[in-house]
Amino acid sequence: MLNYVLRRLLIAIPTLILISLVIFFLVDLAPGSPASEIPLTVPPDVREKIMESLGVNQPVWVRYGLWMKQFFYVEPLYGIDAMFGTDLAQGAPRLISYSSRVPVFQYIGERLPQTLTVIGTAYVLAVLIAIPIGIYSAYRQYSWFDQIGTFVAMIGFSVPTFFTGLLLIIVFTVNLHWFPSIYNTSLSVTDWASFKTQVQQMTLPVITLALFNAAEISRYTRSSMLENLAQDYVRTARAKGMGERTVVLKHVLRNSLIPVVTVIALGIPTVFGGAIITEQVFKINGIGAALIGAIQVNDLPVVQTIAFLTAILIVLFNLVADILYGLLDPRIRYD
Amino acid sequence: MARLAVEVPTVANGGISEDLTQITWKLQPGLVWSDGTPVTSADAKFTYEYCTHPEGGCAQAARYEGIASIETPDAETVVITFVAPKPNPYQAFVGGTSPILQAAQFANCLGAAASSCNEQNFKPIGTGPFVVKDFKVNDVVELEANPNYRDPAKPAFATMTVKGGGDAVAAARAVMETGEFDYAWNTQINPEMQAQMSAAGKGVLLNGFGTLVERIEMNMTDPSPALAEGERSTTKHPHPILSDIKVRKALSMAIDRQALVDIGYGSAGRASCNLVPAPEMFASPNTDCIAQDMDGAKALLEEAGWTDSDGDGVRDKDGVKLKMVYQTSTNPVRQDFQVIIKAWWNELGVEVELKNIDASVFFGGDAGSPDTFQKFYSDVEMYANNFDGTDPEPYLAQYLCDKIPGPDNQWQGENINRFCDPAYDALVAELAKTSDMAERGKIAIRLNEMLTKDSYVVVPLVDRGRLSAASNTLGGVVLNTWDTELWNAQDWFRVK
C-alpha cells in the first residue's frame, strides 16, 4: 500500500509539471492585459512604467521559471517563517498580484477561511442529506418518497445557483428580514451572539449550495444502489435470513459507495476552489470571487496560482479516492 | 478649500509667483499624523521623491510632471518650483488621489521596494478622519476614528466598514432595499431598477456630474483589412468614407441622444454635445446635436453624393457601399446603444456591422492585439473617457498630431481618431502658455468645439454622471464628483 502511494505521488510530479505548463501558458497567451485596469487618464509613459514595475514585459519563459521558483521555493519558505518565526526567506521577492500588489498566498490565505466555512459546510451538509435520501429512494423505488426526492433533485440540479440565491435573498432578506444578504468576513465568533450572527449569515449561501450538491450526490447514490439491489448476492444474503437493515446498509451500501466516493472525493477540490457564482451573489469574497475577479482584470499571477492549486488538489483527491476503493472493496489490491 | 494648508495659494495672496513657476504651500500649524507625530514639509518632499522614483511605477506620477524641485525652507513650508510656467499648479498634493505620505513610514519603500511594502501600502498613516484597522484585498476595509484628527469633535462615527465585491445592483440593494449598508458608490443600475429601488423608501439615489463622456470616435484613417499590417489605420491611408465631414455630421445627426440616456442611464446621464462637459467655465454651450434630425442627415448624405443607386437600402457612391464597422467593449449598456444606433444608421441608409470586444483586451493596450481601442481597426468605436481633476488641458492635448498611435510608437498614442489640424495644435500650445482663467476657458471651449461641432471627429453621446446610494439614516452626505466620494466622511452623522 505504502509502495503504491509513493509510486502514485512520484507519477504526480511530471503530471503536475505538465499541468503547470499548460495553465501558465494558456492563461498567459489569452488575450487581454493588466494595463486595461489602469485608468485612461494615466498618460502612456506612466502606464509603461507601471507595467515595467509589475514585470509584465519580461519574456514568458523567464516569468514561468520565476513563478515556479516562487511557488515551490520562496512561498513555502515564507510559510515556514510565518509558522516558526524564522527568517529563511530573507526578503526574497514574493509572488505578487498585478492588480492589488499583495502577495498571492497572503491573498489566498485571507480568502480561504470563508470559503472553507461556507462552501465546506454546504458540502458536508449536502453529503449528509444526499446519501440517506439516495439509499431510501432506491430501496423504495417509485414510492412517493422517491418521486418527491427525484423532483427536488431535478430542481436542485437544473435551477442555477444565481437564481436560487437571488430568490432566497428577495424572500428572506428584502421581504422577511430574517437573514443578511451580505457576508461579513470580519466577524469572529467569540460568544453565543456572534455565533448566532455567523449561522444567520451562512444560512442562505449554505442552503443554495447544499441543494445543488445534494441533488447530484443523491442521484449517484440512488442509481448505484439500484444496480446493486438487483444483484444475486443480495438475494443470497436475504436467503441466509439476514435482516433487511443488514442487507441494505452493510452489503448493498458498501458496494454501492464506490462510484459515490469518486464523486464526493473529486468534489472536495471544488470546495477549496470556491463556488464562483454563489460567492458573488452573497458577497462571501472567498477563493471563487478572487478567481473571477482576477480573471476580469487579467491578474495573471492570481489566476495561475489558484488554478494550479486546484490542479494539485484534484491530483491528491484522485489518489485519496483510489485508496478508499481498496478500503471499501477488499477485492481491490494495489500491491 | 484647503485641508492641510493654511490657505489655497494664489497669485493674489502671493502663494504663487508672478511668473507662475513657483507655488508655496503653508501647512497648518500643529497638524499631526494619526500616530500623533507632526506632519512636516519633509513628508511632502518625500512623497514627491517616492512617486517620481523611476522604478516605483507610481500611478500618480503625472501629477508631479513639470516639477523642477521641491524645497522645504522650514517644517511648515513646501515650495514647489516648476521647469516652466504652470498655469494650473494645483496638481501635486491636491485631492484624494494625491495624498502626502508619512516619510517615516514609507522610508524603506522607495522604488522597486514599493510593491513589497504590504504593511505600509495597506495601512498607511494619514491625517484623515479614519485610520485603517484591517484591509482585506478586494473584500473589506475596517476603519476606526482617528484619535488625532485635527477637529476633535469629528468624525461622528467610531468605526466604518467598506465592503467590496459583488456588483452594482447588489450594492444598491444593500442600501436601498435591505438597509444593511449606509452608502454605496458607483451603483450604475438601469433606470427601471432605479425607480424600483427608490420605491423601497430606505434610501435615496444621489447623482452628480463630472467629466465622463460616452462618445463615438470616428476613425480618420482607413481600417480596411485589405491593407497590410502596419498600414491599416495609419495616417498613410485617409479613411475613404469618413474623411468627408458631411458623412460624419450625418451620422451624428441621426442619433437621438436623449433616447440613449433614457434607456441606459436615467437620472445618471444627460445628453451631451461636448467632449469637455464640465467645469462650467470650460464647457461649450453647444447643444446643436441634441435634437435628432433624420431628414437633415439624409439630405446631407445626398448632398455628399451618397445615394442608394441600386435600391438595396444601402447608400453608395462610385461603387463603394456606405458601410461601417462599429466596435466597443463588452458591456450591456454599450451593446444596447450599439443596437439602437445601428437601427438609426440603417434608417439613414448606412450598413452597420457591430463588434464587441472584452474590456480587458479593448483597453489592454497590447500592441500585439488587433482589438485594442488604440489600434482602432474599425470605422467607428464607442467608449467613455474623462480627465483627472478640473483642468482639461492635458485631455485636450491628446488630440495633437504627434500623439497619433501607429506602429512606430507601439500604438501608444492618445489621439485615437488620428485627428490632425495644425490650427488645433497651435491653439493647444497657446493654452499651455495662458494663465488667465477666463482666457483658458475660452480656448478650451474653442478646442472642444473644433473636435465636436466643427469637425464631428468626436461625437459625444452621453455625459455620464455618478450614481450613488445613501441611506435615509445617514446625514451630511455631499456627492463630490471631483474627488473621492468619502471626501467629507468626517462630516457624516447618524440621522436620529
Side-chain angles (χ1 to χ4, degrees):
Chain A
M1 191 69 173
L2 188 67
N3 253 331
Y4 171 75
V5 173
L6 279 177
R7 205 167 64 230
R8 282 287 298 265
L9 285 176
L10 281 177
I11 295 171
I13 293 173
T15 316
L16 285 174
I17 289 179
L18 197 71
I19 293 174
S20 78
L21 272 169
V22 172
I23 288 176
F24 192 90
F25 285 92
L26 262 187
V27 173
D28 200 87
L29 291 174
S33 153
S36 64
E37 283 307 297
I38 306 171
L40 291 181
T41 48
V42 173
D45 49 327
V46 176
R47 187 177 284 268
E48 193 51 34
K49 269 189 194 147
I50 296 174
M51 296 298 282
E52 231 164 76
S53 75
L54 292 176
V56 180
N57 297 339
Q58 280 168 328
V60 65
W61 280 107
V62 175
R63 280 184 289 123
Y64 175 72
L66 196 63
W67 180 62
M68 285 316 263
K69 183 187 156 197
Q70 284 168 331
F71 193 103
F72 285 109
Y73 180 69
V74 180
E75 290 296 338
L77 286 185
Y78 274 102
I80 295 170
D81 288 354
M83 265 187 277
F84 303 107
T86 50
D87 186 24
L88 296 171
Q90 298 186 334
R94 298 188 66 170
L95 189 56
I96 287 187
S97 147
Y98 284 165
S99 72
S100 59
R101 309 265 184 120
V102 68
V104 177
F105 278 82
Q106 182 189 325
Y107 189 27
I108 294 174
E110 275 173 8
R111 293 304 182 104
L112 205 54
Q114 52 262 38
T115 291
L116 288 186
T117 343
V118 179
I119 321 288
T121 310
Y123 202 68
V124 171
L125 203 65
V127 172
L128 290 182
I129 296 171
I131 292 185
I133 290 180
I135 296 170
Y136 197 73
S137 289
Y139 187 63
R140 291 262 180 263
Q141 199 187 5
Y142 305 130
S143 66
W144 63 267
F145 183 92
D146 184 31
Q147 303 284 9
I148 292 174
T150 308
F151 180 70
V152 173
M154 283 300 243
I155 290 181
F157 201 69
S158 50
V159 178
T161 50
F162 63 79
F163 184 79
T164 22
L166 220 53
L167 196 71
L168 290 175
I169 288 184
I170 287 171
V171 174
F172 291 103
T173 310
V174 177
N175 291 334
L176 294 172
H177 299 286
W178 287 0
F179 304 108
S181 72
I182 290 176
Y183 189 88
N184 175 8
T185 49
S186 318
L187 183 78
S188 58
V189 178
T190 48
D191 48 19
W192 277 109
S194 56
F195 180 73
K196 193 177 155 230
T197 320
Q198 174 67 19
V199 169
Q200 271 182 335
Q201 68 173 356
M202 276 172 65
T203 308
L204 296 185
V206 166
I207 291 177
T208 310
L209 272 175
L211 181 67
F212 183 77
N213 286 330
E216 188 189 4
I217 299 168
S218 72
R219 296 317 283 171
Y220 271 105
T221 316
R222 179 179 177 274
S223 66
S224 176
M225 284 290 287
L226 279 177
E227 206 173 295
N228 279 292
L229 276 169
Q231 300 279 329
D232 289 343
Y233 74 85
V234 179
R235 201 187 316 131
T236 314
R238 283 188 177 134
K240 279 197 297 185
M242 282 175 159
E244 276 302 285
R245 206 182 178 80
T246 326
V247 172
V248 176
L249 293 184
K250 260 188 120 171
H251 294 243
V252 183
L253 181 60
R254 188 164 173 175
N255 281 300
S256 311
L257 274 182
I258 291 182
V260 179
V261 160
T262 320
V263 173
I264 295 176
L266 288 183
I268 292 174
T270 61
V271 171
F272 286 87
I276 293 174
I277 292 163
T278 314
E279 287 186 11
Q280 283 289 89
V281 171
F282 293 97
K283 271 72 68 186
I284 296 167
N285 291 347
I287 303 280
L291 180 63
I292 194 78
I295 291 172
Q296 280 161 354
V297 303
N298 273 286
D299 193 344
L300 306 190
V302 174
V303 179
Q304 285 155 345
T305 307
I306 294 180
F308 191 45
L309 283 175
T310 313
I312 294 178
L313 288 172
I314 289 176
V315 170
L316 271 181
F317 278 96
N318 250 317
L319 177 59
V320 170
D322 284 351
I323 294 170
L324 284 179
Y325 293 163
L327 295 179
L328 284 170
D329 187 346
R331 283 170 304 181
I332 300 173
R333 277 288 161 262
Y334 297 116
D335 294 319
Chain B
M1 191 178 75
R3 295 196 192 193
L4 304 182
V6 176
E7 60 177 349
V8 176
T10 58
V11 179
N13 67 22
I16 298 177
S17 68
E18 287 289 335
D19 62 357
L20 306 176
T21 57
Q22 208 170 57
I23 181 169
T24 306
W25 293 93
K26 281 271 183 196
L27 288 171
Q28 287 171 10
L31 205 56
V32 289
W33 293 106
S34 59
D35 65 355
T37 59
V39 179
T40 69
S41 56
D43 292 312
K45 188 176 160 78
F46 172 81
T47 305
Y48 163 69
E49 284 160 4
Y50 174 89
C51 196
T52 52
H53 194 288
E55 285 163 32
C58 175
Q60 298 297 331
R63 288 193 173 253
Y64 299 92
E65 216 171 75
I67 294 179
S69 70
I70 293 190
E71 305 299 331
T72 53
D74 62 57
E76 282 165 8
T77 312
V78 182
V79 182
I80 305 175
T81 310
F82 299 102
V83 284
K86 192 107 171 158
N88 175 25
Y90 309 118
Q91 293 275 329
F93 315 130
V94 180
T97 51
S98 185
I100 296 178
L101 301 178
Q102 190 193 43
Q105 192 192 15
F106 281 86
N108 296 324
C109 300
L110 280 175
S115 62
S116 53
C117 279
N118 275 311
E119 184 64 22
Q120 288 88 338
N121 289 341
F122 291 103
K123 291 182 185 169
I125 292 169
T127 54
F130 293 97
V131 291
V132 182
K133 192 175 116 200
D134 191 17
F135 194 124
K136 289 194 190 130
V137 174
N138 291 340
D139 178 17
V140 71
V141 190
E142 300 281 356
L143 302 162
E144 283 177 328
N146 174 2
N148 293 309
Y149 189 59
R150 53 188 178 274
D151 183 345
K154 291 173 181 173
F157 292 97
T159 63
M160 174 151 100
T161 302
V162 183
K163 177 86 180 176
D167 50 80
V169 180
R173 182 179 294 123
V175 174
M176 306 285 291
E177 287 190 325
T178 68
E180 288 165 90
F181 279 75
D182 289 310
Y183 191 83
W185 63 74
N186 198 13
T187 49
Q188 282 298 353
I189 51 176
N190 63 42
E192 198 183 320
M193 289 188 105
Q194 288 174 19
Q196 188 191 328
M197 288 200 182
S198 300
K202 282 208 156 66
V204 285
L205 288 170
L206 308 167
N207 63 304
F209 290 89
T211 58
L212 188 66
V213 173
E214 185 81 26
R215 81 288 291 276
I216 287 179
E217 306 264 18
M218 302 276 175
N219 194 343
M220 302 299 283
T221 59
D222 190 358
S224 163
L227 293 170
E229 196 60 30
E231 302 255 311
R232 224 181 142 180
S233 280
T234 64
T235 43
K236 281 185 197 160
H237 305 276
H239 198 286
I241 301 169
L242 288 174
S243 294
D244 184 351
I245 182 175
K246 285 179 179 149
V247 178
R248 302 199 297 267
K249 186 171 178 184
L251 291 176
S252 170
M253 284 163 80
I255 297 170
D256 181 353
R257 289 164 172 79
Q258 190 54 47
L260 293 177
V261 170
D262 294 341
I263 290 159
Y265 296 99
S267 64
R270 54 189 180 195
S272 175
C273 302
N274 285 324
L275 181 62
V276 178
E280 210 172 330
M281 60 177 301
F282 295 114
S284 158
N286 170 33
T287 53
D288 295 356
C289 73
I290 302 287
Q292 184 188 27
D293 181 6
M294 190 58 83
D295 295 330
K298 284 178 181 164
L300 203 60
L301 284 181
E302 294 283 337
E303 197 187 312
W306 292 96
T307 49
D308 185 7
S309 62
D310 53 5
D312 65 350
V314 179
R315 290 171 191 272
D316 53 81
K317 180 182 172 180
D318 309 329
V320 181
K321 290 248 176 235
L322 188 48
K323 184 172 180 293
M324 296 282 131
V325 178
Y326 174 11
Q327 71 180 17
T328 187
S329 68
T330 309
N331 161 320
V333 176
R334 291 207 168 118
Q335 266 71 73
D336 282 352
F337 276 27
Q338 275 189 314
V339 170
I340 297 160
I341 292 172
K342 177 180 175 171
W344 285 324
W345 286 355
N346 282 344
E347 193 185 335
L348 196 59
V350 181
E351 192 183 333
V352 183
E353 183 187 323
L354 299 181
K355 189 174 168 191
N356 69 72
I357 301 158
D358 188 80
S360 69
V361 177
F362 192 59
F363 297 115
D366 178 4
S369 164
D371 289 326
T372 64
F373 79 105
Q374 289 104 330
K375 259 199 183 160
F376 206 166
Y377 281 180
S378 72
D379 302 291
V380 294
E381 65 184 3
M382 177 171 72
Y383 61 90
N385 198 357
N386 62 337
F387 54 94
D388 205 13
T390 53
D391 181 41
E393 188 191 321
Y395 189 51
L396 289 164
Q398 291 178 353
Y399 295 89
L400 294 175
C401 296
D402 63 0
K403 291 196 178 162
I404 293 177
D408 33 318
N409 57 15
Q410 278 74 51
W411 304 92
Q412 290 307 314
E414 293 159 307
N415 186 350
I416 303 304
N417 317 70
R418 288 90 163 123
F419 167 81
C420 185
D421 180 354
Y424 186 89
D425 282 23
L427 204 54
V428 169
E430 201 186 319
L431 179 63
K433 283 186 295 203
T434 311
S435 63
D436 178 58
M437 278 313 215
E439 195 55 35
R440 283 178 73 77
K442 271 189 208 149
I443 297 176
I445 288 172
R446 200 57 223 114
L447 288 169
N448 170 34
E449 289 178 351
M450 286 172 91
L451 292 169
T452 56
K453 78 167 188 180
D454 292 3
S455 67
Y456 294 93
V457 165
V458 178
V459 176
L461 301 173
V462 179
D463 176 8
R464 283 172 52 184
R466 282 204 202 165
L467 190 65
S468 299
S471 161
N472 289 336
T473 65
L474 186 68
V477 176
V478 178
L479 184 61
N480 175 354
T481 56
W482 306 100
D483 201 349
T484 145
E485 298 203 15
L486 298 175
W487 73 289
N488 73 335
Q490 69 273 13
D491 300 328
W492 291 6
F493 60 92
R494 178 67 68 210
V495 176
K496 289 266 159 46

